[in-house]
Amino acid sequence: MIIIPVKEGENIERALKRFKRKFEKTGVIKELRDRQKYTKPSVKRREELKKAIYVQGLQRQED
């Protein structure tokens, strides 16, 4: 459970924004989306490799 202490006189929109940011960091939504469908381990590995190659390319461009 996420607890957001609201300070005296703090705007409720600001507290809600902090809650949303903290909730996003937990990764609950991402996990729910991943669990909606089954992906084979070979497909997961292939996607991880593609992502790693992409990130490596980005890092080379920066140098």
Side-chain angles (χ1 to χ4, degrees), residues 2 5 7-9 11 22 28 38 41 46-47 49 51 59:
I2 300 173
K7 298 168 187 160
E8 186 81 26
N11 192 352
K22 212 171 201 184
V28 174
Y38 176 75
R46 198 175 316 133
E47 288 175 358
L49 276 173
K51 185 178 178 184
Q59 289 174 346

Side-chain angles (χ1 to χ4, degrees), residues 4 7-8 12 16 18-20 22 24-25 31-33 36 38 42 44 46 48-49 52-53:
I4 302 292
K7 298 168 187 160
E8 186 81 26
I12 191 71
L16 188 61
R18 282 192 304 144
F19 172 79
K20 286 181 181 179
K22 212 171 201 184
E24 187 73 31
K25 284 185 179 181
E31 187 177 334
L32 282 175
R33 286 188 184 138
Q36 283 181 346
Y38 176 75
S42 61
K44 283 183 184 177
R46 198 175 316 133
E48 286 176 8
L49 276 173
I53 291 169

Side-chain angles (χ1 to χ4, degrees), residues 47-63:
E47 288 175 358
E48 286 176 8
L49 276 173
K50 283 175 71 174
K51 185 178 178 184
I53 291 169
Y54 175 75
V55 169
Q56 239 180 3
L58 286 178
Q59 289 174 346
R60 284 184 183 162
Q61 283 180 351
E62 289 179 359
D63 293 337

